[in-house]
Amino acid sequence: ALAHAERWADPIKRLDAARRLYAWRFGRILPHRDIETLRGIEGARIKEAYKTVAQSFGIEWHGRHYDRDNPNAADLPNQAINHAATFVEAAADIAVAAVGALPPLGFIHEESSNAFTLDIADLYRVEITFPLAFGAVKAYQEGKVASLEREVRQRAAKAFRQNKLIPNMIDRIKELLDVDDRDRDP
């Protein structure tokens, strides 16, 4: 918690942490130092990723649309993304709690009581969240499953185990915060 708070409170270290989070998403460090520019680049990447992953599963994609007050009014892909995102965020909640980090102190997300949790969950959006969602939609559309939410949940449990998602999230958080606890007593 102390390492997190110190990094978050220092504007230079805070921006460096945000840039590191973006570098992990992009696979490279971007030259931009303005957080708004980085958010815009990430938004474009995610928009393209929705299309690409949907296409890889043969799912028709019309964009990200949902009503927070009535999530079931969304089309199937958007409903599935909502479910998958909830499960990945829950995993990130566990990882953040496990290391004693501070959920409200996000480096990219700022206006949420779980901003840091969202920062961590978003690291896995393209590789975990989208395939969970679109894979479940495909199975549902083919009549292989009766419940979209249940299918996303079952796929999430399997993917989380296979990818060791929570331990990987914990390691990423420690790396982000430059915390090395390997020498501590068990």
Side-chain angles (χ1 to χ4, degrees), residues 2-75:
L2 181 59
H4 187 174
E6 286 175 349
R7 186 167 303 267
W8 183 85
D10 180 318
I12 293 169
K13 289 181 180 180
R14 187 175 180 181
L15 178 59
D16 285 345
R19 291 183 74 225
R20 189 182 235 180
L21 287 164
Y22 281 123
W24 288 337
R25 294 176 191 188
F26 282 92
R28 62 187 170 87
I29 296 173
L30 299 173
H32 310 287
R33 296 206 57 86
D34 175 63
I35 191 74
E36 292 306 320
T37 301
L38 292 168
R39 285 180 180 137
I41 294 168
E42 170 70 352
R45 180 185 81 95
I46 290 300
K47 207 172 195 179
E48 189 59 36
Y50 279 126
K51 289 185 221 174
T52 302
V53 177
Q55 190 175 45
S56 75
F57 282 93
I59 303 298
E60 197 172 315
W61 178 248
H62 301 289
R64 186 75 171 114
H65 306 288
Y66 67 97
D67 178 352
R68 289 186 192 277
D69 295 328
N70 188 8
N72 291 328
D75 62 10

Side-chain angles (χ1 to χ4, degrees), residues 22-170:
Y22 281 123
W24 288 337
R25 294 176 191 188
F26 282 92
R28 62 187 170 87
I29 296 173
L30 299 173
H32 310 287
R33 296 206 57 86
D34 175 63
I35 191 74
E36 292 306 320
T37 301
L38 292 168
R39 285 180 180 137
I41 294 168
E42 170 70 352
R45 180 185 81 95
I46 290 300
K47 207 172 195 179
E48 189 59 36
Y50 279 126
K51 289 185 221 174
T52 302
V53 177
Q55 190 175 45
S56 75
F57 282 93
I59 303 298
E60 197 172 315
W61 178 248
H62 301 289
R64 186 75 171 114
H65 306 288
Y66 67 97
D67 178 352
R68 289 186 192 277
D69 295 328
N70 188 8
N72 291 328
D75 62 10
L76 290 176
N78 278 286
Q79 287 181 40
I81 290 166
N82 292 345
H83 297 314
T86 297
F87 299 135
V88 174
E89 287 170 22
D93 272 332
I94 293 167
V96 168
V99 300
L102 305 166
L105 303 185
F107 297 102
I108 294 171
H109 293 85
E110 296 175 337
E111 309 254 341
S112 174
S113 62
N114 67 336
F116 186 60
T117 299
L118 297 174
D119 286 353
I120 300 305
D122 279 357
L123 292 172
Y124 303 90
R125 192 177 336 179
V126 175
E127 293 78 17
I128 302 285
T129 306
F130 293 176
L132 284 175
F134 290 114
V137 170
K138 181 74 170 176
Y140 184 80
Q141 288 178 337
E142 291 176 346
K144 295 178 180 176
V145 298
S147 168
L148 181 63
E149 182 179 2
R150 184 167 193 253
E151 181 65 11
V152 174
R153 186 172 52 251
Q154 289 178 336
R155 285 173 180 260
K158 184 178 179 183
F160 290 8
R161 280 191 306 273
Q162 286 177 339
N163 294 290
K164 296 181 169 89
L165 184 64
I166 294 170
N168 284 331
M169 287 177 166
I170 290 169

